[in-house]
Amino acid sequence: MSAKAISEQTGKEFLYKHICTSAAVQNRFRYASVTAETDWERLSREHPWLLTERLVIKPDQLIKRRGKLGLVGINLDLHGVREWFKAHVMRETTVGKAKGVLKNFLIEPFVPHPQEEEFYVCIYATREGDHVLFHHEGGVEVGDVDAKAQRLLVAVDEKLSEEQVTEKLLTHVPDEKKPVLASFIVGLFNLYEDLYFTYLEINPIVVTKDGVYVLDMAAKIDATADYICKAKWGDVEFPPPFGREAYPEEAYIADLDAKSGASLKLTLLNPRGRIWTMVAGGGASVVYSDTICDLGGVDELANYGEYSGAPSEQQTYDYAKTILSLMTREKHTQGKVLIIGGSIANFTNVAATFKGIVRAIKDYQGPLKEHEVTIFVRRGGPNYQEGLRVMGEVGKTTGIPIHVFGTETHMTAIVGMALGHRPIPNQPPMDAHTANFLLNASNSAVTPATTRTASFSDPKTSSEFNPAKKSKADLPAEAQASAGCNGGMEGREKPVLLASPPSVHLPPPSQFCVFPVSPKPMTLFRKQTKAIVWGMQTRAVQGMMDFDYVCSRDEPSVAAMVYPFTGDHKQKFYWGHKEILVPVYKNMADAVKKHPEVDVLISFASLRSAFDSTMESMQYPQIHTIAIIAEGIPEAQTRKIIKMADQKGVSIIGPATVGGIKPGCFKIGNTGGMLDNILASKLYRPGSVAYVSRSGGMSNELNNIISRTTDGVFEGVAIGGDRYPGSTFMDHVLRYQDTPGVKMIIVLGEIGGTEEYKICQGIREGRITKPVVCWCIGTCATMFASEVQFGHAGACANQASETAVAKNQALRDAGAYVPKSFDELGEVIKTVYDDLVANGTIVPAQEVPPPTVPMDYSWARELGLIRKPASFMTSICDERGQELIYAGMPITEVFKEEMGLGGVLGLLWFQRRLPRYACQFIEMCLMVTADHGPAVSGAHNTIVCARAGKDLISSLTSGLLTIGDRFGGALDAAAKQFSKAFDSGMLPMEFVNKMKKDGKLIMGIGHRVKSINNPDMRVQILKDFVKQHFPSTQLLDYALDVEKITTSKKPNLILNVDGFIGVAFVDLLRMCGGFTRDEADEFVEIGALNGIFVLGRSMGFIGHYLDQKRLKQGLYRHPWDDISYVLPEHMSM
């Protein structure tokens, strides 16, 4: 969400730190926060003014009208404050419908003053700008400030001056106080803008001869602006609404959400409740909560939340295990139900997210059965069939009752099943598999000719675009009681029109046809529409091209892409069966210059860059429509985008949207989901029904409902879930009203805002004459005791008229068709559609099969439809999941077990978890082989390359290439020679004699410098460790016996470090218990032991390279006097 309430202490801290005004702001930073754990002696030392001044104490927990509730202690000394505090702390208090415990309190200096020095000021944001309210009589008895206060609207991107404040707001203020108040209000407004406040109220503000005192303050800030304001805000703590506790699980999910590109939300309503939800999608999560409350489950609803935006399997697992942990802490006499629901996903891989949920269910299967939990699942979207199959399987294997449903079942039908209001089907019908939609039903690969014009229904003359005024006779009894009809008000009470709140100014009906500064096109997309996609979203672009192909477009709708992080190049995509290239540009200027036919921009820019890229794009006159996908753009930036769009005549869809779709013509990004859903919902050809929704996921659900109840979608737009979408419901409803092919209109509104009232006015005034079916989600909000912020930033009612219940009633009274609940939406749509067919307004056309689009290889493999031999096989590492895995061991476990480098080497080289002593031995071997000075051939080569100016990799490689039988490669050879002799039963003396007879060196024996009298300490260190820790050292003992024989002949024929490591490693592999004899011998045979020397010595070679670079050594040239020139005599003469 965006607008979040902050505590009074945080708000005042922001004000005292950052306000810039000539008015003298008194009592700066003179406040103290106290709780039940406060040490009062320490508090007095930190705030000595507590001992000398009269004080005020009040709870700081987002409680309104504290004075009227008797929750303010006034004019007390510190002793009196402590007594007042003791009487109130941890006391349960009722504020409105909310019950909560008083925990956090704020102490401030008491400011004595007469009533006439109290004033009221408030600043709040709306779509068109920021409203400044001022009243000259502030305080507890301020009353209805909306009706009484002076009001000044500061338009978006405009500034407030002291002259404006004095002239418009301070008309009833004594002259001597006007300069101080004017300066303070201007400073307050600048602070409000700079720190991205969305609401800031001070009541009262006291102005005395000494200056300005801010007594009580309430504020909200735009949390999405954290990346802009972090330096000024610091770490902000957002307290929960009064009456709802802050739970650690909520903080945990909020932290997951902050670290993820997905959306993860959790609000605990009643942890002891029996009804729990795990819903995918911001809009869908509200719909499920509505349905639960409508069916009487409000008191048992335990939580509200959502997971959406394609979370990974691990993120979904973390979310699911949190829910399951919470719901299995206390038993319920009736058992519990878990509703895993969601609309039809646009781009989330349902099977992947369900894998995370399935993991969590398996982990909690014991507690779930103990608490008698029954699970109901309904989902659709990419790969949903596999997800549902997996979910059904886990129910069978664990014994947990899990009922699984797909898109054939109405989205909220599982709620009725879970609560016992409707039967559970034994064998629910399943839609065809994803792959079935990709087979050409006509058995022809030829693209069918386009046989349709603008609409799937036959074109009608303009005289036929009147609402179906007689259709009520065909409505079912329940629908008749709840669905309004234009002109059909017989037998009903006269409609009671809801008065608009004072803060919402609806334009008069005559203004509905008046465009903003520049006119905007009524038709956004045609069959020839071309777009630029901002961002490297290849999957979305391929989805658009597949849609274009099944719609029988002549050319792809994507003309180019813009991606600032690479140079200009071309990207490969599929157009039907063949591959095509799409140009990618580094900047927008080049893209629009080279593609003048483009008039649509689809922006996948991040929330941080979306504002700048959108503002730039609107500078190009050819761009008429921009879809902004990003969620989390600060509201102040969105309003600036809207203002410029109005000036330029650009239509904005979004932010925080999946986009929109016009069947047969054009689709934005991932709208409509994957190709199977496009075909199942018949989105490849136009129907007669147009819709507008806030939610992207719910727009796809509408596609499904409309395709099952009517002849299909003509156009659908998801305007986005933010408080200020770039285009409004009314913008699109008016477009649909003026579009001949649209015969009926569907609006899926939601709690928050007042845009739906404009539709009411349009219907009443006759501007909208086509049938409008409308439902506002969020009806459950009025049933909750405390405020709940739903998934969309704009889904929060700031006053009674913004509730879903009030808006549904207003729409019903105005004459729109409004169902009793979302459950009945499909029935009402079908009834209205059938009436339009019956009276001839809609004449359904004959279906024409779409052309075949081949399935992408990657998706076919995901669905398990194909197989192919792998090019590589690996058994040591898997990086595909959420966590890196070494030989079956997650990387977190590697560190948790403190396995060290030796343990990791054991996993990656030997696929074993080696004993601790074996890991230590490996690490010791790496240490003793790390380097042996600059004179050896490998180090010498590395140094020469480094001094020749070569890079690290080249220099290291030149050194490694010298490793072989003569240098460093004796580990393998020594292990093989000694093992063969020992295994054959040959005595050490026989082995020495045989090697001498064969004229072969004994590998691992001999050293240039070290001898029996000057032992190699590296070998001694390793020998002591091996003798102490290895269970058996048969081969090492054999090698040491050989050493006794060879040193008796020559003292430097010792078992050197290479030989020692070779034979000791054979003992380790054979005797540690982790390998069979054949496995141990195989590792020696394939060269594993030489790897120890290569790995260890690489450290030394890199050290030599860095040393030469650090010493800035020049090109090496070998001196002549160190070279013996031995040329043939005839050439030297």
Side-chain angles (χ1 to χ4, degrees):
M1 63 171 292
S2 54
K4 285 189 177 182
I6 56 176
S7 66
E8 183 174 3
Q9 178 180 340
T10 301
K12 287 182 173 177
E13 182 179 342
F14 288 175
L15 186 147
Y16 293 147
K17 274 185 181 179
H18 302 294
I19 193 167
C20 184
T21 175
S22 60
V25 180
Q26 301 297 318
N27 285 341
R28 284 179 183 255
F29 303 107
R30 300 184 80 185
Y31 48 72
S33 179
V34 291
T35 65
E37 291 78 34
T38 295
D39 181 342
W40 288 86
E41 297 300 324
R42 180 177 178 181
L43 188 73
S44 300
R45 291 194 300 270
E46 293 175 351
H47 303 280
W49 52 269
L50 291 170
L51 301 171
T52 59
E53 299 199 25
R54 305 298 291 179
L55 305 169
V56 174
I57 182 170
K58 53 194 173 183
D60 189 8
Q61 291 178 237
L62 308 184
I63 300 174
K64 299 175 181 178
R65 295 178 288 278
R66 291 170 293 189
K68 284 196 171 185
L69 294 170
L71 295 179
V72 182
I74 299 174
N75 197 13
L76 305 172
D77 60 11
L78 185 57
H79 175 74
V81 163
R82 294 186 66 171
E83 292 301 315
W84 190 96
F85 175 77
K86 287 178 184 177
H88 290 82
V89 69
M90 304 308 294
R91 191 184 80 185
E92 186 175 82
T93 302
T94 301
V95 179
K97 293 191 296 183
K99 282 186 178 181
V101 177
L102 300 177
K103 296 181 178 180
N104 304 312
F105 294 81
L106 196 64
I107 305 174
E108 295 179 297
F110 172 67
V111 181
H113 60 276
Q115 173 64 38
E116 57 267 19
E117 291 184 339
E118 290 188 350
F119 303 95
Y120 172 92
V121 64
C122 177
I123 310 171
Y124 65 89
T126 60
R127 184 182 182 86
E128 63 274 9
D130 298 293
H131 293 263
V132 184
L133 273 62
F134 179 85
H135 192 49
H136 61 284
E137 295 174 345
V140 177
E141 303 298 334
V142 68
D144 185 1
V145 289
D146 278 330
K148 295 172 12 180
Q150 304 293 109
R151 184 186 301 270
L152 175 62
L153 171 62
V154 184
V156 174
D157 245 2
E158 293 187 5
K159 292 296 180 182
L160 182 65
S161 68
E162 293 186 19
E163 291 75 15
Q164 288 176 297
V165 171
T166 304
E167 180 183 349
K168 301 288 186 182
L169 301 178
L170 307 183
T171 53
H172 301 294
V173 173
D175 290 341
E176 67 274 11
K177 296 187 184 296
K178 286 183 178 179
V180 175
L181 273 169
S183 175
F184 179 81
I185 291 173
V186 170
L188 189 69
F189 184 82
N190 292 335
L191 169 84
Y192 166 95
E193 279 196 324
D194 292 343
L195 269 67
Y196 284 75
F197 281 83
T198 61
Y199 182 86
L200 178 55
E201 180 187 54
I202 302 174
N203 180 39
I205 175 175
V206 172
V207 181
T208 71
K209 61 181 185 345
D210 299 322
V212 176
Y213 296 85
V214 177
L215 297 196
D216 286 344
M217 181 177 177
K220 291 183 178 182
I221 57 175
D222 186 346
T224 60
D226 179 70
Y227 73 97
I228 299 172
C229 299
K230 183 70 173 179
K232 293 181 179 179
W233 286 355
D235 294 322
V236 181
E237 184 176 334
F238 297 102
F242 183 72
R244 188 156 51 76
E245 295 297 316
Y247 293 93
E249 291 82 5
E250 293 176 336
Y252 172 70
I253 296 300
D255 184 58
L256 285 181
D257 179 65
K259 296 174 181 176
S260 164
S263 179
L264 303 168
K265 304 287 187 294
L266 175 63
T267 299
L268 287 176
L269 303 173
N270 175 16
R272 297 181 177 180
R274 66 178 294 263
I275 306 169
W276 292 77
T277 64
M278 195 184 308
V279 180
S285 61
V286 181
V287 171
Y288 276 98
S289 297
D290 285 350
T291 308
I292 291 168
C293 294
D294 288 342
L295 296 179
V298 62
D299 293 330
E300 291 291 349
L301 180 57
N303 71 305
Y304 166 79
E306 62 145 324
Y307 68 97
S308 58
S312 66
E313 178 185 332
Q314 183 64 36
Q315 289 164 344
T316 313
Y317 168 76
D318 292 336
Y319 186 85
K321 74 175 183 181
T322 304
I323 300 291
L324 299 184
S325 169
L326 285 164
M327 72 180 299
T328 54
R329 292 179 185 178
E330 292 188 37
K331 289 188 177 181
H332 197 285
T333 54
Q334 300 176 37
K336 296 185 179 182
V337 295
L338 173 62
I339 296 171
I340 302 176
S343 57
I344 301 173
N346 287 290
F347 54 89
T348 299
N349 186 332
V350 175
T353 56
F354 271 17
K355 285 178 184 176
I357 298 175
V358 164
R359 278 175 54 199
I361 291 173
K362 288 179 178 178
D363 289 351
Y364 281 85
Q365 58 182 297
L368 288 172
K369 287 189 280 190
E370 182 184 344
H371 287 75
E372 300 178 68
V373 175
T374 304
I375 301 175
F376 292 83
V377 183
R378 191 276 184 183
R379 194 71 163 107
N383 208 8
Y384 80 93
Q385 298 93 343
E386 174 65 13
L388 296 180
R389 185 194 67 78
V390 171
M391 196 67 77
E393 285 296 321
V394 77
K396 294 175 184 176
T397 56
T398 61
I400 300 168
I402 300 180
H403 306 281
V404 178
F405 304 90
T407 56
E408 77 292 334
T409 302
H410 186 69
M411 191 179 95
T412 52
I414 60 171
V415 177
M417 300 176 199
L419 303 189
H421 291 274
R422 66 167 73 194
I424 304 171
N426 291 326
Q427 192 70 31
M430 294 296 291
D431 279 343
H433 193 276
T434 299
N436 292 355
F437 289 112
L438 303 171
L439 301 177
N440 193 343
S442 64
N443 295 320
S444 170
V446 180
T447 301
T450 305
T451 58
R452 305 182 184 88
T453 54
S455 175
F456 187 54
S457 59
D458 290 341
K460 293 291 172 184
T461 61
S462 59
S463 63
E464 294 179 21
F465 298 145
N466 293 320
K469 296 185 179 180
K470 294 187 285 187
S471 62
K472 281 195 68 180
D474 298 325
L475 285 171
E478 288 185 356
Q480 284 189 32
S482 61
C485 178
N486 298 326
M489 309 297 289
E490 297 85 7
R492 298 175 59 186
E493 295 181 8
K494 185 177 180 179
V496 179
L497 300 181
L498 297 179
S500 300
S503 59
V504 179
H505 297 282
L506 301 180
S510 60
Q511 290 187 16
F512 277 123
C513 299
V514 178
F515 286 102
V517 178
S518 295
K520 297 182 181 180
M522 294 304 289
T523 301
L524 301 183
F525 313 115
R526 296 180 173 81
K527 199 148 190 170
Q528 294 75 35
T529 295
K530 292 276 192 171
I532 291 173
V533 174
W534 204 103
M536 191 53 68
Q537 291 287 328
T538 54
R539 179 178 171 184
V541 171
Q542 185 60 65
M544 291 175 67
M545 291 194 175
D546 289 343
F547 174 81
D548 297 340
Y549 191 79
V550 297
C551 292
S552 303
R553 278 184 58 128
D554 296 329
E555 293 181 327
S557 58
V558 179
M561 301 171 71
V562 174
Y563 192 59
F565 306 105
T566 61
D568 292 0
H569 65 284
K570 293 187 184 300
Q571 191 76 25
K572 187 169 62 175
F573 293 97
Y574 286 103
W575 175 249
H577 296 258
K578 67 178 183 180
E579 291 181 305
I580 61 172
L581 296 175
V582 174
V584 181
Y585 300 96
K586 189 175 177 64
N587 58 70
M588 190 69 182
D590 290 342
V592 295
K593 182 179 179 180
K594 294 181 180 179
H595 299 276
E597 75 280 10
V598 166
D599 64 352
V600 174
L601 171 68
I602 301 172
S603 175
F604 285 93
S606 70
L607 63 93
R608 290 172 173 79
S609 59
F611 173 72
D612 292 332
S613 59
T614 303
M615 296 295 275
E616 178 201 351
S617 300
M618 284 191 285
Q619 303 302 321
Y620 304 107
Q622 70 188 68
I623 301 297
H624 296 153
T625 304
I626 299 177
I628 305 172
I629 309 301
E631 181 179 2
I633 300 174
E635 290 178 354
Q637 293 186 345
T638 302
R639 293 190 304 171
K640 292 177 182 178
I641 290 173
I642 294 169
K643 180 177 180 178
M644 177 170 281
D646 289 344
Q647 293 171 348
K648 301 281 188 180
V650 176
S651 295
I652 302 288
I653 297 174
T657 183
V658 71
I661 190 165
K662 189 169 185 180
C665 291
F666 186 85
K667 92 175 182 108
I668 297 172
N670 295 304
T671 309
M674 296 192 64
L675 201 57
D676 58 337
N677 190 66
I678 297 289
L679 297 172
S681 297
K682 298 181 175 62
L683 297 174
Y684 53 86
R685 88 301 186 270
S688 305
V689 183
Y691 70 81
V692 57
S693 161
R694 273 188 171 272
S695 166
M698 291 306 299
S699 69
N700 216 7
E701 194 63 42
L702 285 176
N703 292 331
N704 180 46
I705 294 172
I706 293 169
S707 71
R708 292 175 183 271
T709 55
T710 73
D711 66 348
V713 175
F714 181 90
E715 183 178 339
V717 172
I719 61 174
D722 281 359
R723 219 160 43 126
Y724 308 121
S727 53
T728 65
F729 286 135
M730 196 60 178
D731 292 335
H732 296 286
V733 169
L734 290 179
R735 287 197 307 106
Y736 299 155
Q737 171 66 31
D738 295 337
T739 301
V742 176
K743 304 297 192 266
M744 62 181 285
I745 301 168
I746 299 172
V747 178
L748 189 65
E750 71 179 24
I751 181 175
T754 58
E755 280 298 320
E756 291 85 350
Y757 290 105
K758 295 183 180 180
I759 298 175
C760 297
Q761 278 190 321
I763 295 172
R764 288 198 303 268
E765 298 297 329
R767 179 64 179 91
I768 303 170
T769 59
K770 294 177 181 179
V772 178
V773 178
C774 193
W775 176 251
C776 295
I777 66 174
T779 54
C780 61
T782 54
M783 305 183 195
F784 295 148
S786 60
E787 179 185 308
V788 174
Q789 171 63 53
F790 296 112
H792 293 158
C796 182
N798 295 313
Q799 47 204 341
S801 60
E802 294 188 14
T803 64
V805 172
K807 291 195 281 190
N808 282 331
Q809 186 59 48
L811 287 158
R812 185 178 291 117
D813 293 341
Y817 294 88
V818 181
K820 288 176 63 177
S821 68
F822 183 82
D823 256 354
E824 294 184 359
L825 180 62
E827 298 172 22
V828 174
I829 291 172
K830 186 177 190 312
T831 301
V832 175
Y833 172 78
D834 288 346
D835 287 342
L836 294 175
V837 173
N839 65 27
T841 302
I842 295 177
V843 180
Q846 184 179 355
E847 285 287 353
V848 177
T852 303
V853 177
M855 182 180 290
D856 286 347
Y857 168 79
S858 59
W859 190 242
R861 185 182 58 186
E862 178 81 21
L863 296 174
L865 302 177
I866 59 172
R867 63 186 183 187
K868 90 177 219 352
S871 301
F872 288 96
M873 293 179 67
T874 181
S875 59
I876 63 169
C877 184
D878 189 345
E879 82 288 2
R880 296 170 298 171
Q882 182 70 17
E883 189 175 351
L884 183 65
I885 294 176
Y886 289 164
M889 191 172 192
I891 191 67
T892 52
E893 289 297 314
V894 171
F895 282 93
K896 184 178 178 181
E897 298 292 330
E898 298 182 349
M899 295 185 66
L901 185 59
V904 171
L905 192 145
L907 293 173
L908 295 180
W909 287 18
F910 306 114
Q911 295 180 301
R912 300 288 193 280
R913 183 170 180 181
L914 299 176
R916 184 63 190 161
Y917 71 84
C919 299
Q920 288 178 294
F921 177 69
I922 291 172
E923 292 175 5
M924 292 175 69
C925 291
L926 295 177
M927 288 189 279
V928 299
T929 59
D931 195 44
H932 203 216
V936 296
S937 58
H940 181 83
N941 266 24
T942 301
I943 291 170
V944 171
C945 274
R947 293 179 62 171
K950 302 295 286 186
D951 60 275
L952 171 63
I953 304 301
S954 301
S955 303
L956 173 62
T957 304
S958 73
L960 292 175
L961 289 174
T962 64
I963 296 175
D965 288 346
R966 295 186 177 185
F967 168 63
L971 278 77
D972 276 345
K976 292 174 184 177
Q977 285 184 356
F978 281 103
S979 297
K980 183 178 180 181
F982 177 78
D983 293 341
S984 66
M986 197 179 295
L987 295 174
M989 180 62 76
E990 292 175 328
F991 171 56
V992 173
N993 291 337
K994 184 176 186 306
M995 295 300 288
K996 183 177 181 180
K997 180 180 178 181
D998 293 343
K1000 296 180 179 178
L1001 295 174
I1002 301 176
M1003 304 306 293
I1005 293 289
H1007 198 283
R1008 181 179 295 275
V1009 178
K1010 300 298 180 179
S1011 66
I1012 193 70
N1013 302 313
N1014 179 25
D1016 188 340
M1017 293 310 299
R1018 297 178 297 172
V1019 174
Q1020 192 61 45
I1021 292 168
L1022 292 174
K1023 186 191 298 183
D1024 293 342
F1025 181 86
V1026 168
K1027 286 293 185 180
Q1028 182 180 352
H1029 294 93
F1030 279 27
S1032 175
T1033 57
Q1034 292 179 333
L1035 191 61
L1036 173 60
D1037 294 339
Y1038 183 84
L1040 292 175
D1041 288 341
V1042 171
E1043 182 189 46
K1044 291 176 183 177
I1045 298 171
T1046 55
T1047 52
S1048 67
K1049 299 180 179 180
K1050 199 172 183 181
N1052 70 328
L1053 295 179
I1054 59 172
L1055 181 65
N1056 59 36
V1057 70
D1058 294 352
F1060 183 93
I1061 293 174
V1063 296
F1065 231 105
V1066 173
D1067 281 333
L1068 175 65
L1069 293 173
R1070 290 182 175 183
M1071 302 300 176
C1072 73
F1075 306 89
T1076 65
R1077 177 63 176 270
D1078 289 342
E1079 288 173 336
D1081 291 346
E1082 183 183 21
F1083 279 117
V1084 174
E1085 190 63 34
I1086 62 179
L1089 304 191
N1090 266 357
I1092 296 290
F1093 184 84
V1094 171
L1095 182 59
R1097 192 52 59 93
S1098 292
M1099 293 188 285
F1101 291 169
I1102 292 172
H1104 285 296
Y1105 170 85
L1106 297 175
D1107 184 51
Q1108 295 300 308
K1109 294 295 186 182
R1110 185 171 54 248
L1111 296 174
K1112 296 180 173 54
Q1113 294 295 289
L1115 179 66
Y1116 176 79
R1117 182 180 176 86
H1118 204 70
W1120 290 346
D1121 58 5
D1122 193 35
I1123 301 173
S1124 177
Y1125 293 90
V1126 285
L1127 301 178
E1129 286 188 16
H1130 69 275
M1131 293 189 66
S1132 61
M1133 290 174 59

